[in-house]
């Protein structure tokens, strides 16, 4: 079991009009992936938008579960991928709107279903396959990329797309090695 956050490192990239610091993490276990999601979930606020990317088996559901727990969703509430339901809503200190847009064709579907109303609402939007939003993708967001490295090890890259999310990355636990 994981007792601390996975190893962290940070790199800088240029992105006008501000400097974006992306963060790369190597998670050595599913528990560490969930724990890192928990730490992030504790920092999220109403109206936050998190875009989650990764292939099947990359750890998106584990990470989403950690975010849900960090937002105060009860431990006995199962966090599952909304692949067929498109949206799961979880109640915590603030609501978590967990979307899976894989089966949608584009941003028109999202607008027709009324999903955009959630994106700046009273909860946190966690969106898998957010690239399907196209023109409806919010300006401010945190992009998270999960990649399969081996059976238990995952790579996680966090890319803030606005100053709000740069500040959020700076607030992640001090046990993060930010070289």
């Amino acid at each position: 079991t994981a007792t601390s956050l996975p190893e962290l490192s940070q790199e800088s990239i240029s992105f006008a009009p501000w400097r974006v610091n992306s963060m790369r993490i190597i998670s050595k276990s599913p528990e560490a992936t969930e724990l890192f999601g928990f730490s992030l979930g504790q920092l999220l606020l109403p109206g936050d938008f998190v875009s989650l990317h990764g292939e099947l088996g990359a750890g998106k559901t584990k990470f989403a579960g950690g975010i849900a727990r960090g937002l105060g969703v009860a431990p006995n509430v199962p966090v599952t991928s909304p692949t067929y339901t498109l949206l799961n809503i979880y109640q915590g200190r603030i609501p978590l709107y967990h979307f899976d847009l894989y089966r949608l064709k584009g941003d028109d579907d999202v607008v027709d279903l009324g999903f955009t109303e959630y994106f700046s609402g009273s909860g946190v939007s966690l969106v898998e396959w957010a690239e399907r939003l196209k023109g409806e993708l919010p300006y401010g967001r945190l992009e998270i990329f999960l990649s399969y490295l081996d059976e238990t090890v995952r790579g996680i890259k966090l890319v803030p797309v606005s100053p709000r999310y740069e500040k959020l990355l700076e607030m992640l636990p001090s046990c993060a090695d930010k070289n």
Side-chain angles (χ1 to χ4, degrees):
T1 64
T3 56
S4 63
L5 287 176
E7 296 176 24
L8 305 176
S9 63
Q10 190 170 16
E11 68 176 322
S12 296
I13 58 174
S14 296
F15 193 85
W18 61 88
R19 187 166 178 81
V20 174
N21 292 312
S22 67
M23 180 182 287
R24 291 180 187 270
I25 298 139
I26 301 298
S27 172
K28 296 183 178 178
S29 70
E31 296 81 13
T33 298
E34 190 169 13
L35 180 61
F36 189 73
F38 176 86
S39 296
L40 179 61
Q42 291 183 309
L43 300 173
L44 294 171
L45 300 173
D48 279 344
F49 187 97
V50 178
S51 176
L52 201 53
H53 307 270
E55 296 179 19
L56 188 63
K60 294 185 301 291
T61 302
K62 247 333 175 185
F63 193 79
I67 288 176
R69 303 299 173 233
L71 288 170
V73 174
N76 64 332
V77 175
V79 176
T80 59
S81 180
T83 302
Y84 297 103
T85 59
L86 303 177
L87 169 63
N88 289 339
I89 300 175
Y90 302 99
Q91 296 300 322
R93 66 176 166 82
I94 56 176
L96 173 61
Y97 309 123
H98 184 190
F99 296 89
D100 185 329
L101 305 181
Y102 177 76
R103 297 185 324 125
L104 300 184
K105 292 183 173 101
D107 51 359
D108 288 342
D109 288 347
V110 173
V111 172
D112 291 344
L113 292 167
F115 288 170
T116 55
E117 295 173 18
Y118 290 94
F119 297 164
S120 59
S122 60
V124 170
S125 294
L126 176 64
V127 182
E128 297 181 41
W129 299 92
E131 60 273 14
R132 299 222 194 283
L133 291 173
K134 299 176 185 168
E136 297 299 323
L137 192 62
Y139 163 76
R141 63 189 182 276
L142 178 61
E143 299 275 349
I144 301 178
F145 301 86
L146 289 102
S147 57
Y148 179 94
L149 300 179
D150 77 20
E151 191 164 321
T152 59
V153 179
R154 301 295 184 265
I156 305 171
K157 182 177 181 180
L158 295 89
V159 180
V161 183
S162 80
R164 151 75 184 131
Y165 297 99
E166 278 193 343
K167 290 184 189 335
L168 189 138
L169 290 190
E170 292 171 4
M171 293 168 37
L172 280 169
S174 61
C175 59
D177 177 20
K178 298 181 180 178
N179 295 329

